[in-house]
Amino acid sequence: MGTPLAFWTHLVQTCSPHQIEFWGTLLTQLIFFWIPALTYTFLDPLFPSFSARHKIQPPFKQPSAGEIRHCALIVLRNQCFNILSSLILTTLAIRSGRGSRFLISEDVPGFWSEVAWQIPLCIVTREFIFYYIHRLFHTPRFYKMIHKKHHEFTAPTALSAQYAHPVEHIFANTLPIAIPAMVLGVHILTFWTFLAIMLVETATVHSGYDFKLLGLLEMARDHDAHHELFNVEFGAIPGLMDKLHGTDLSSRRWKREERERERKAREREAEGAGVDVGKVEVVEKLEPLDRRDLSDLLVCDLVD
């Protein structure tokens, strides 16, 4: 058992597929969410100067230490709920004689034959599912009942990636990742790799930091805009679903500027016709919001 491959072979020979799936998935979640999330969280108290240079939003909008502790407790609650749900589903599968939902064998997945196309496909499919569920949660009914909790952080922190109502945690955080891998029937090692990528990604985009080093580390700026403005950047991958539906920040800004040009044109026409400009309809500019509860006002429907 001196090599990872020998260890994996020994694991498959000595543990049941359900044990491997349950404990391996749990370990992946604990390592690849908590380590990056806590790393981002402790940057501010440990390296305040470095943190201040890379924080996207100003200091007065940042969550307090008490709010971060409360966030951590909600995240733990959601993860415990996930663990309990997985344990129940695993027990039911064992009792009914069903096998694991993933391929578990001594053979490791080939990179070019499996991993190189399965993980990108899973990422794109997850983005597709997540985008529409996220838009649904921004409709007035579901926003007030479910998604409003996640938007309590208008300046997000890494831990707030899983700060959500339990229903949202299942349908927006868990299922969009699980469904693509389960449908494809990927090897469990491929699924763990995909899961690890998604956990690091969600902690990073909620971190509130823009390091301007790699594309992934710049994605936080787009999602930060979503938490600040509420009705832009619903997706996780910049330039994909948001660009398709015109909900990316640049498209929203263009629409705002176009409305402003139309407003000024109407004012000029009104002045030329001798109409009181004050009676002309004014479209408000989309400005960054102060950290206050405007969630009942800033919800958007599935149809722009």
Side-chain angles (χ1 to χ4, degrees):
M1 296 207 315
T3 66
L5 182 58
F7 174 76
W8 173 250
T9 302
H10 175 75
L11 198 65
V12 173
Q13 291 174 349
T14 56
C15 300
S16 72
H18 288 295
Q19 289 176 322
I20 293 172
E21 178 187 339
F22 177 81
W23 291 108
T25 303
L26 175 59
L27 189 62
T28 303
Q29 291 182 44
L30 293 177
I31 293 173
F32 290 96
F33 177 76
W34 283 100
I35 290 179
L38 292 177
T39 299
Y40 288 126
T41 300
F42 283 105
L43 276 180
D44 193 31
L46 294 178
F47 307 99
S49 298
F50 176 82
S51 174
R53 287 198 303 271
H54 296 284
K55 272 289 187 181
I56 298 170
Q57 296 197 42
F60 71 89
K61 289 189 175 183
Q62 301 304 320
S64 65
E67 289 172 325
I68 292 176
R69 285 194 295 269
H70 173 68
C71 175
L73 290 175
I74 298 299
V75 171
L76 283 172
R77 179 204 67 183
N78 285 339
Q79 292 192 351
C80 287
F81 181 77
N82 261 13
I83 293 169
L84 180 61
S85 301
S86 297
L87 191 59
I88 292 172
L89 291 174
T90 300
T91 302
L92 292 175
I94 292 172
R95 289 184 175 180
S96 62
R98 295 197 306 271
S100 171
R101 296 161 292 184
F102 303 98
L103 174 62
I104 300 177
S105 65
E106 296 180 21
D107 297 327
V108 298
F111 180 77
W112 293 112
S113 61
E114 297 175 72
V115 178
W117 67 270
Q118 287 177 343
I119 288 183
L121 181 58
C122 284
I123 290 174
V124 172
T125 306
R126 180 257 185 177
E127 172 72 1
F128 181 86
I129 298 171
F130 174 78
Y131 180 87
Y132 289 113
I133 291 176
H134 195 182
R135 289 295 299 270
L136 180 64
F137 280 156
H138 270 265
T139 57
R141 176 179 296 180
F142 290 108
Y143 187 92
K144 191 170 184 177
M145 289 191 307
I146 298 172
H147 194 50
K148 182 177 178 179
K149 188 168 191 65
H150 183 66
H151 274 279
E152 289 176 8
F153 285 87
T154 55
T157 182
L159 287 171
S160 67
Q162 295 189 11
Y163 180 83
H165 188 285
V167 172
E168 178 177 356
H169 189 60
I170 294 172
F171 286 95
N173 295 342
T174 305
L175 290 181
I177 295 176
I179 289 174
M182 290 168 59
V183 170
L184 287 175
V186 301
H187 195 285
I188 191 66
L189 293 176
T190 304
F191 172 64
W192 290 341
T193 304
F194 167 54
L195 176 60
I197 293 171
M198 291 295 95
L199 291 171
V200 173
E201 177 265 345
T202 192
T204 299
V205 300
H206 285 87
S207 68
Y209 289 103
D210 184 8
F211 297 110
K212 299 184 184 299
L213 294 175
L214 301 171
L216 176 66
L217 299 181
E218 294 179 20
M219 289 166 62
R221 183 169 292 278
D222 295 313
H223 197 70
D224 215 87
H226 174 74
H227 276 262
E228 188 180 10
L229 304 175
F230 289 81
N231 61 350
V232 295
E233 303 295 348
F234 293 92
I237 302 176
L240 190 58
M241 299 302 295
D242 282 296
K243 197 71 176 178
L244 178 65
H245 289 283
T247 53
D248 59 306
L249 189 58
S250 59
S251 295
R252 292 287 191 183
R253 186 181 293 115
W254 181 87
K255 291 176 183 177
R256 181 189 65 189
E257 291 172 353
E258 183 68 20
R259 289 196 298 267
E260 181 66 11
R261 284 193 293 269
E262 292 175 357
R263 181 186 67 82
K264 289 180 178 179
R266 288 197 301 270
E267 287 181 356
R268 286 194 297 269
E269 291 175 1
E271 288 174 354
V275 179
D276 183 3
V277 176
K279 294 181 180 179
V280 178
E281 179 186 2
V282 177
V283 180
E284 293 184 354
K285 294 182 179 181
L286 182 62
E287 297 290 351
L289 303 173
D290 293 332
R291 184 173 182 179
R292 59 185 183 271
D293 188 7
L294 295 181
S295 52
D296 290 332
L297 302 176
L298 293 172
V299 293
C300 73
D301 212 329
L302 280 169
V303 180
D304 291 331

